[in-house]
């Protein structure tokens, strides 16, 4: 048996694990106890959530891509990408969710058989970016660990028709929710090459969706104010905290008074397509993740798209994420229709 066979077995049995809400299918060849324990907790939460929303899983499929493998005599470390599609139903409505997950898997051979001894999620919703580039004076201590080095030096296309600092007047625009959702669905599984793609890309992606819906950039040229993005210029990455940092984005949406603004609503079902949800995993007031509402399920509850762990029509609560804790707090942000 080759290590690749074990990897393909892992993917097949991972599908079964999510269908059964049990890690039992993985036990014959996965020995990473911390991973298995985390999955047991995640699957229990997912099972309860699915029961509450009367969701019945029908099929789970995964396409495996091996991105890189470092092979030794009896050990292999492989970075893999899993493109997962889950299908189920609520009442008479079918529901399909997709995700892209990246993992680092370590395999070891023992007595002619390969075992998976370590599984590490790469690009988890809990990951935070490390500081790089300029630091602003505005509550810098809050942000110093939240923004980071970009993957791509590509420059953005800026819609100068709606950039307020280039307009002669204070023209009002209507937030086009359909266009925001269309953009979110187009780019959920990849980065738009017109923008820098960050290691932790969730809020950068949400800002792009809002911008595609007609939200005007508020360009100040300062990291700690406004909501703006200019990409790379003279070796510097130019963007505001509010554009690329989850905590900064929700703060800007609630405190801004002109242009792009939002109202916090008390319940998820009150959100509309194109609205935003912010996630504070630790319940300490520091928001670490952002999503955008792109659909509703049969119960009228939001389904969201996101980056970092790229997700398409994922149930809003994220109880199926290893980042979720009992202390998780949500902020439901209804974007103003008139910008």
């Amino acid at each position: 048996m080759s290590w690749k066979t074990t990897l393909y077995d892992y993917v097949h049995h991972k599908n079964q694990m999510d269908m059964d809400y049990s890690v039992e299918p993985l036990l014959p060849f996965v020995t990473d106890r911390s991973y298995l324990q985390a999955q047991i907790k995640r699957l229990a939460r997912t099972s309860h959530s699915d029961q509450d929303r009367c969701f019945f899983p029908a099929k789970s499929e995964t396409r495996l891509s091996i991105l890189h493998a470092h092979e030794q005599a009896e050990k292999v470390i492989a970075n893999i990408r899993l493109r997962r599609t889950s299908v189920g139903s609520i009442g008479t409505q079918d529901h399909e969710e997709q995700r892209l997950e990246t993992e680092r898997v370590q395999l070891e051979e023992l007595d002619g058989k390969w075992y998976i001894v370590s599984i590490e999620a790469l690009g988890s919703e809990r990951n935070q970016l490390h500081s790089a580039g300029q630091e602003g004076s505005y509550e810098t201590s809050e942000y110093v660990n939240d923004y980071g080095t970009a993957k791509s030096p590509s420059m953005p296309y800026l819609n100068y028709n709606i950039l307020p600092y280039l307009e002669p007047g204070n023209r009002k625009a209507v937030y086009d929710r359909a266009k925001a959702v269309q953009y979110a669905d187009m780019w959920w599984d990849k980065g738009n090459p017109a923008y820098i793609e960050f290691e932790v890309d969730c809020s950068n992606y949400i800002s792009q969706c809002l911008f595609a819906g007609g939200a005007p950039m508020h360009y100040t040229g300062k990291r700690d104010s406004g909501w703006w993005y200019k990409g790379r210029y003279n070796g510097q990455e130019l963007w505001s905290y509010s554009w690329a940092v989850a905590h900064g984005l929700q703060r800007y949406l609630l405190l801004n008074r002109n242009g792009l603004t939002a109202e916090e609503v008390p319940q998820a079902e009150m959100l509309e397509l194109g609205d935003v949800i912010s996630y504070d995993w630790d319940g300490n007031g520091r928001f670490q993740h952002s999503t955008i509402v792109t659909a509703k399920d049969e119960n009228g509850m939001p389904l969201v798209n996101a980056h970092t762990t790229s997700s398409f029509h994922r149930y809003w609560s994220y109880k199926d994420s290893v980042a979720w804790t009992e202390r998780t707090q949500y902020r439901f942000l209804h974007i103003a229709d008139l910008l």
Side-chain angles (χ1 to χ4, degrees):
M1 179 186 296
S2 72
W3 64 267
K4 288 184 180 180
T5 301
T6 299
L7 264 187
Y8 283 104
D9 284 344
Y10 164 64
V11 170
H12 171 73
H13 288 88
K14 190 179 178 86
N15 288 329
Q16 194 61 46
M17 174 184 75
D18 284 346
M19 294 288 293
D20 297 344
Y21 306 108
S22 170
V23 299
E24 188 173 350
L26 300 184
L27 297 181
F29 51 89
V30 175
T31 63
D32 184 342
R33 287 194 173 189
S34 61
Y35 172 81
L36 293 172
Q37 290 171 353
Q39 294 305 306
I40 289 170
K41 294 178 181 179
R42 181 186 70 83
L43 291 166
R45 294 195 303 267
T46 303
S47 175
H48 291 148
S49 176
D50 287 351
Q51 289 178 26
D52 289 345
R53 59 193 291 239
C54 298
F55 176 82
F56 297 94
K59 181 174 62 175
S60 181
E61 296 179 345
T62 302
R63 286 190 293 168
L64 167 67
S65 300
I66 301 175
L67 304 178
H68 173 77
H70 178 67
E71 300 183 56
Q72 299 178 6
E74 296 178 343
K75 183 171 75 173
V76 174
I77 299 177
N79 287 357
I80 63 175
R81 177 169 293 150
L82 306 174
R83 188 179 186 96
R84 313 191 68 194
T85 301
S86 302
V87 179
S89 62
I90 300 177
T92 59
Q93 183 185 55
D94 291 332
H95 168 60
E96 179 177 297
E97 176 190 325
Q98 296 184 60
R99 290 188 211 174
L100 278 180
E101 300 173 351
T102 307
E103 296 178 343
R104 178 168 295 132
V105 179
Q106 181 173 325
L107 304 96
E108 294 182 2
E109 186 180 19
L110 179 64
D111 297 330
K113 183 176 180 180
W114 286 92
Y115 295 89
I116 296 176
V117 300
S118 174
I119 302 171
E120 176 189 358
L122 304 178
S124 160
E125 290 92 5
R126 178 168 281 280
N127 287 353
Q128 294 190 26
L129 292 167
H130 300 290
S131 61
Q134 295 177 328
E135 295 181 2
S137 58
Y138 174 69
E139 295 185 0
T140 301
S141 60
E142 283 194 330
Y143 295 104
V144 67
N145 291 321
D146 286 349
Y147 68 101
T149 303
K151 291 181 179 179
S152 167
S154 54
M155 292 296 291
Y157 168 76
L158 299 182
N159 184 352
Y160 291 100
N161 292 325
I162 63 171
L163 289 179
Y165 66 98
L166 294 180
E167 290 182 344
N170 294 321
R171 177 176 62 87
K172 289 288 186 179
V174 175
Y175 180 50
D176 193 325
R177 298 178 180 276
K179 286 185 178 179
V181 171
Q182 182 182 35
Y183 184 96
D185 286 348
M186 178 180 298
W187 296 104
W188 77 268
D189 60 346
K190 53 188 173 293
N192 182 346
Y195 291 88
I196 289 172
E197 184 180 2
F198 295 91
E199 179 185 352
V200 178
D201 199 53
C202 60
S203 297
N204 176 40
Y205 165 69
I206 300 305
S207 288
Q208 291 175 35
C209 296
L210 296 172
F211 185 56
M217 284 193 196
H218 178 193
Y219 180 76
T220 65
K222 299 178 181 179
R223 283 263 201 216
D224 51 13
S225 65
W227 177 74
W228 57 273
Y229 175 88
K230 290 189 71 175
R232 188 182 294 275
Y233 179 74
N234 285 343
Q236 291 183 309
E237 297 164 16
L238 302 176
W239 40 266
S240 63
Y241 292 126
S242 56
W243 182 276
V245 179
H247 190 72
L249 175 60
Q250 60 83 32
R251 184 182 178 92
Y252 177 82
L253 290 173
L254 289 174
L255 297 182
N256 189 43
R257 293 292 178 263
N258 297 301
L260 177 60
T261 61
E263 172 192 7
E264 185 175 4
V265 296
Q267 296 176 320
E269 55 265 39
M270 298 176 66
L271 295 174
E272 300 178 25
L273 303 190
D275 285 339
V276 172
I277 304 177
S278 294
Y279 300 75
D280 169 10
W281 305 123
D282 302 307
N284 61 5
R286 295 285 303 128
F287 289 85
Q288 300 157 293
H289 188 54
S290 308
T291 67
I292 183 169
V293 179
T294 52
K296 292 286 191 82
D297 68 12
E298 186 84 346
N299 302 318
M301 300 301 287
L303 305 174
V304 299
N305 288 17
H307 269 196
T308 306
T309 295
S310 296
S311 304
F312 175 83
H313 289 186
R314 184 173 183 173
Y315 191 59
W316 69 269
S317 72
Y318 265 68
K319 289 187 176 181
D320 58 356
S321 170
V322 294
W324 193 92
T325 72
E326 295 290 343
R327 301 181 299 278
T328 295
Q329 299 291 323
Y330 307 95
R331 186 154 279 171
F332 306 119
L333 301 171
H334 174 63
I335 305 300
D337 289 312
L338 192 62
L339 301 170

